[in-house]
Amino acid sequence: MTLAHYGVVMLRPYMDQLSLPPSNADRYDLMPALRPFLGRDAQSVACDGDMIDAAARGMLDRHPGSGVVAKFMLREKRLPLAFIDPDGTFMQTDEYGGKPERIPFAAWRWAGYDLALFEGEPDAVLVQQKARMRYEYRMQVIGGEPVCGAGCIERFTPADNRGNRYDPRMEETRNSGRIESHPDIARLYEQFAHEAAHAIRGEVEGPYVMDLYLDDAGRPHVIELNPQSNSGLYALDMDALLTAIGNNPAQFMPDPKRTATPGCLGVREGEAI
């Protein structure tokens, strides 16, 4: 397919994309310097049912009325988030098509086979205080600095950008369809993203995206980090992004040790593994 400003997007990535240095951005839960920017209590625990249950109960006790969200960090896209209500119940989904039902939370009910598959794996689950996340926004961080951003509006692509480096359009509730323009929030996010990116500069590797939200008091916080190469663009200013990529070529140069193909990407015959 072809995207405006971006060119052809391949169904399968080129070898140079596959051989880029790996990013640790999606393990943001292991970055101590990021914790103050999350705006919510969070705890990483091993893949152990008793430990997950204890962490969820402790979070409910420390923050009555807030609820808890459990996220499986090792295979989070496969396993849905567990949204645990203040009364300790959650909506269990049936992967075989059965009707979802609200039942008391237990790790084995939520994670099932993954508990056995990754048994004992450290820092496998992030248990965090549930928070209302308003005006979700995505910042692109290249070379350790935010370079552009846009609201997390699913219907928008870079073709919808109006020349704003930090697009002001957002939805207070994601996917609500009610799009609003908030230049003041965009400026607040820009300042906050610079502070957060500077704080974690020594802990995060490679280019990444930083997703932000406002709490009910109007304070910005970090939702999560993700690798830049596999993240939606929304109404992004592609000129600003591509300029930043051009100014930071080292972050986008493939690692020859990972290409393993003679003659490809500067790898000579004697260097292939």
Side-chain angles (χ1 to χ4, degrees):
M1 63 181 293
T2 301
L3 289 178
H5 267 103
Y6 202 65
V8 176
V9 178
M10 304 302 292
L11 178 62
R12 294 181 178 84
Y14 288 115
M15 179 57 72
D16 58 347
Q17 290 175 293
L18 294 174
S19 59
L20 287 175
S23 172
N24 66 338
D26 54 355
R27 292 316 308 263
Y28 59 90
D29 58 310
L30 304 181
M31 301 176 189
L34 187 65
R35 291 299 179 97
F37 295 91
L38 295 179
R40 58 198 185 276
D41 194 359
Q43 177 183 357
S44 293
V45 298
C47 189
D48 176 272
D50 291 339
M51 292 181 66
I52 298 170
D53 291 343
R57 289 193 300 269
M59 198 71 66
L60 290 171
D61 290 341
R62 288 195 298 276
H63 308 284
S66 293
V68 173
V69 179
K71 181 176 183 179
F72 201 72
M73 301 299 289
L74 301 181
R75 295 177 67 178
E76 66 275 14
K77 299 301 182 182
R78 175 184 179 277
L79 195 62
L81 301 180
F83 293 95
I84 307 168
D85 286 346
D87 63 0
T89 63
F90 82 120
M91 186 67 74
Q92 184 185 41
T93 58
D94 185 347
E95 61 181 316
Y96 300 105
K99 184 178 180 181
E101 57 178 338
R102 183 161 296 283
I103 58 176
F105 177 79
W108 67 268
R109 293 189 179 112
W110 166 56
Y113 175 68
D114 287 273
L115 282 178
L117 188 62
F118 297 96
E119 183 178 6
E121 189 74 26
D123 302 307
V125 176
L126 179 63
V127 178
Q128 53 191 325
Q129 177 188 6
K130 188 177 180 181
R132 182 174 179 235
M133 297 181 175
R134 305 161 57 231
Y135 300 112
E136 293 188 29
Y137 201 86
R138 173 159 294 170
M139 288 286 184
Q140 297 275 342
V141 184
I142 310 292
E145 298 288 342
V147 297
C148 53
C152 298
I153 302 174
E154 303 290 347
R155 72 177 70 175
F156 282 172
T157 73
D160 295 291
N161 183 271
R162 298 173 177 173
N164 299 106
R165 185 175 174 186
Y166 296 96
D167 194 276
R169 291 167 294 174
M170 315 169 196
E171 295 172 308
E172 182 173 15
T173 302
R174 188 167 180 170
N175 296 323
S176 68
R178 183 177 178 180
I179 299 172
E180 308 167 2
S181 181
H182 291 284
D184 53 335
I185 298 179
R187 288 191 295 269
L188 178 64
Y189 280 156
E190 179 185 2
Q191 178 182 356
F192 177 80
H194 274 88
E195 294 174 1
H198 179 76
I200 64 175
R201 195 166 189 148
E203 299 184 31
V204 65
E205 300 168 1
Y208 63 94
V209 298
M210 177 186 296
D211 289 348
L212 307 176
Y213 73 97
L214 281 191
D215 63 17
D216 286 331
R219 295 184 297 260
H221 303 290
V222 173
I223 300 175
E224 63 183 6
L225 309 182
N226 280 296
Q228 187 266 347
S229 60
N230 191 35
S231 299
L233 301 175
Y234 305 119
L236 201 68
D237 181 351
M238 289 304 300
D239 291 331
L241 178 63
L242 294 176
T243 297
I245 290 174
N247 291 337
N248 294 272
Q251 289 206 327
F252 298 89
M253 290 297 293
D255 182 351
K257 296 179 182 178
R258 303 182 71 214
T259 61
T261 305
C264 175
L265 305 166
V267 180
R268 295 187 294 271
E269 283 286 344
E271 296 176 342
I273 60 173

